[in-house]
Amino acid sequence: MAELNAFDMAQRQFDEVADQLNLEAGVRAVLRWPLREFHFRIPVRMDDGSLKVFDGFRVQHNDARGPAKGGIRFAGNETIDTVRALATWMTWKCAVADIPLGGGKGGVIVDPSTLSVPEKERLCRGWVDQMWKNIGPRADVPAPDVGTTPQMMGWMMDEYSKLSGAFTPGVITGKPLGGGGSLGRTEATGYGVIYTVREAMKVLKIKSKGARAAIHGFGNVGQYAAIGFIEMLGGKVVCVGCWDRHDRKAYTYSKESGVDPKFLMSITDEYGTIDKAKAKKAGYVLEDANAWIAKDVDVLIPAAIEGVLTGETVKKIHKNVKIVAEGANGPTTPEADAVLKKRGIFNIPDFLCNAGGVTCSYFESVQNDMNFYWSKDEVLTKLDQKMTAAFHGVLEMSKTKKVYMRNAAYMVAIDRVNKAMKLRGWV
Ligand code: GLU
């Protein structure tokens, strides 16, 4: 199989819906590509005294509805096309969640686990040194993503504040608590996934108590999706699929009686690698990388990276699976999508399903602007309302237009962005 190109995938998804909507050629041309892209080099002094130069990116796909918004990824295999795809999906995500923001994404080609803490700090500050004139609370607001952490956001906020000469917490979200961060931001993406799963279960009349899920990924999203599935829905998570950075292989950690996410979190390092020996000792069975896809469960939650459900792997999905809830960005290729559609599996598309993170980021920036902070309860209640409304908006569209949930989500999002562009006289 040819290597997956995430941007190619994002454009194919968009084209399909643009055709269905009969979208005018000019609007299509604007939305198919990002409005602005920054490619830059970041020199970093390493601890051994040598100078290393890293490749950095920021892509602002569309900011008609408000400042560009989206995370920064630190990944060894980062490419400009991945960042373009993720920036594009952010535009649709903010529009579908109905928050007044556009879409952007950033990245650095680096495996963060190879850096010391001071090296990471210098790299984060270096990223801001290159980009600070083109980001800001009213222009473009980054956040964490794969490979970046709240602490990194704290350094970046500090660097921006120093360069701009004013304390500016709203330049970036996902900051640490006490440093301008919002309560609930850590849980937001994973819990948001579960709010949408809860609504889907109601619609499909699936009893959530005792329902079973398999989760791919045990980073921030997977961890809180697991906790939410168990604590909010009374369900059971039978496995988590996870990458091991030491032997550079992925495994499925299974437990028929149900995994204990809090225990697993206690044996997971900051890069999301689970301690295999401790897991085995606690009764977890280690299966191969794709075993999670084949589990006899009601809900599959891919919550790691793009392109895991392909034309090939989708064939492994168990006949009892009723819902695929996409916690990750872009986990399902168009080939796999066709199979899900045919099998009548209910899809909660990525930019709807995982919109809880950016929605809470929006709440964070609102709190930063007011300089007044909400309780965790207040944040999570508002988050639940936003996610539930977004889910039902998309469901309604899918019923009215008789289209698959992903296409319906695109329809809602494209319509909102198109309207904003028209109101501003762009198109
Ligand atoms: N990186 C997250 C996402 O893909 C969050 C973005 C944000 O909070 O701006 O949605």
Side-chain angles (χ1 to χ4, degrees):
M1 195 190 79
E3 189 123 324
L4 173 97
N5 181 313
F7 188 49
D8 179 51
M9 202 171 118
Q11 287 189 319
R12 280 169 67 187
Q13 292 171 345
F14 170 75
D15 287 341
E16 186 179 317
V17 182
D19 285 345
Q20 289 174 339
L21 288 173
N22 229 338
L23 201 65
E24 54 190 285
V27 172
R28 214 172 157 128
V30 179
L31 293 175
R32 264 192 117 242
W33 278 89
L35 288 174
R36 285 178 291 278
E37 296 185 353
F38 302 85
H39 301 217
F40 44 92
R41 316 262 288 154
I42 311 168
V44 174
R45 184 66 64 192
M46 305 304 277
D47 291 348
D48 67 1
S50 67
L51 191 71
K52 217 167 159 179
V53 184
F54 295 90
D55 290 288
F57 309 107
R58 184 72 182 169
V59 173
Q60 297 166 351
H61 173 260
N62 190 286
D63 51 6
R65 287 173 40 86
K69 185 82 193 84
I72 302 173
R73 275 227 268 199
F74 282 6
N77 61 355
E78 196 66 300
T79 67
I80 184 62
D81 273 345
T82 317
V83 184
R84 283 175 177 145
L86 293 161
T88 310
W89 286 322
M90 286 309 301
T91 300
W92 311 136
K93 191 180 301 188
C94 294
V96 102
D98 206 10
I99 52 177
L101 297 166
K105 205 80 172 198
V108 176
I109 305 177
V110 62
D111 173 353
S113 69
T114 61
L115 302 178
S116 71
V117 173
E119 287 167 348
K120 277 190 246 187
E121 177 171 352
R122 290 193 286 270
L123 178 58
C124 288
R125 291 184 186 277
W127 193 95
V128 175
D129 294 344
Q130 297 304 318
M131 271 306 296
W132 74 279
K133 289 192 176 139
N134 294 289
I135 59 174
R138 301 289 171 262
D140 180 3
V141 184
D145 200 272
V146 173
T148 49
T149 61
Q151 172 63 77
M152 293 178 179
M153 301 301 110
W155 292 324
M156 289 179 158
M157 183 276 276
D158 180 70
E159 188 71 7
Y160 182 89
S161 295
K162 281 179 179 152
L163 290 167
S164 64
F167 177 60
T168 317
V171 67
I172 205 158
T173 60
K175 298 178 294 295
L177 283 176
S182 172
L183 287 164
R185 180 64 185 84
T186 311
E187 297 86 348
T189 317
Y191 281 11
V193 167
I194 301 307
Y195 298 146
T196 66
V197 169
R198 179 194 65 206
E199 294 308 302
M201 285 181 150
K202 282 187 206 158
V203 172
L204 300 172
K205 301 199 168 31
I206 299 169
K207 228 175 87 201
S208 65
K209 200 167 162 29
R212 293 157 58 88
I215 298 182
H216 180 233
F218 201 61
N220 172 259
V221 185
Q223 291 172 358
Y224 287 94
I227 293 175
F229 194 80
I230 297 163
E231 292 184 358
M232 288 191 247
L233 303 184
K236 188 196 277 187
V237 176
V238 299
C239 68
V240 296
C242 193
W243 173 254
D244 188 298
R245 70 185 172 90
H246 304 296
D247 53 18
R248 313 194 63 75
K249 271 166 63 183
Y251 299 90
T252 299
Y253 294 76
S254 303
K255 200 169 199 180
E256 236 339 274
S257 59
V259 309
D260 174 353
K262 288 182 184 158
F263 165 73
L264 284 180
M265 280 163 81
S266 76
I267 60 164
T268 301
D269 71 14
E270 62 172 310
Y271 306 102
T273 292
I274 296 175
D275 185 323
K276 287 203 286 286
K278 286 188 184 153
K280 277 187 194 156
K281 212 166 144 220
Y284 287 80
V285 179
L286 263 66
E287 299 178 273
D288 71 48
N290 283 336
W292 67 277
I293 301 177
K295 292 282 171 190
D296 176 0
V297 290
D298 304 283
V299 190
L300 276 186
I301 307 181
I305 47 159
E306 60 278 0
V308 292
L309 292 177
T310 64
E312 272 312 302
T313 59
V314 76
K315 293 180 193 154
K316 296 181 195 283
I317 294 184
H318 195 277
K319 63 175 181 359
N320 289 339
V321 170
K322 297 161 196 81
I323 297 171
V324 171
E326 299 179 346
N329 291 311
T332 309
T333 65
E335 291 74 22
D337 243 352
V339 177
L340 295 184
K341 259 186 233 180
K342 207 162 121 210
R343 286 182 52 179
I345 295 175
F346 189 87
N347 173 256
I348 312 175
D350 51 1
F351 63 82
L352 166 65
C353 191
N354 69 33
V358 73
T359 301
C360 192
S361 275
Y362 164 58
F363 296 156
E364 180 176 329
S365 63
V366 169
Q367 294 171 79
N368 292 153
D369 275 353
M370 295 190 296
N371 203 14
F372 178 75
Y373 290 81
W374 305 338
S375 70
K376 189 167 175 177
D377 252 11
E378 188 168 356
V379 172
L380 293 177
T381 306
K382 286 187 165 72
L383 182 67
D384 193 350
Q385 284 164 352
K386 272 282 191 205
M387 292 300 293
T388 303
F391 176 89
H392 287 284
V394 172
L395 183 71
E396 212 35 57
M397 179 67 90
S398 103
K399 282 185 182 154
T400 327
K401 300 272 182 199
K402 298 197 173 35
V403 290
Y404 183 59
M405 281 290 276
R406 188 184 316 284
N407 297 47
Y410 266 101
M411 286 179 180
V412 172
I414 292 172
D415 186 47
R416 287 184 182 152
V417 177
N418 191 10
K419 261 194 197 126
M421 293 201 299
K422 284 207 158 62
L423 287 170
R424 295 182 65 166
W426 290 8
V427 291

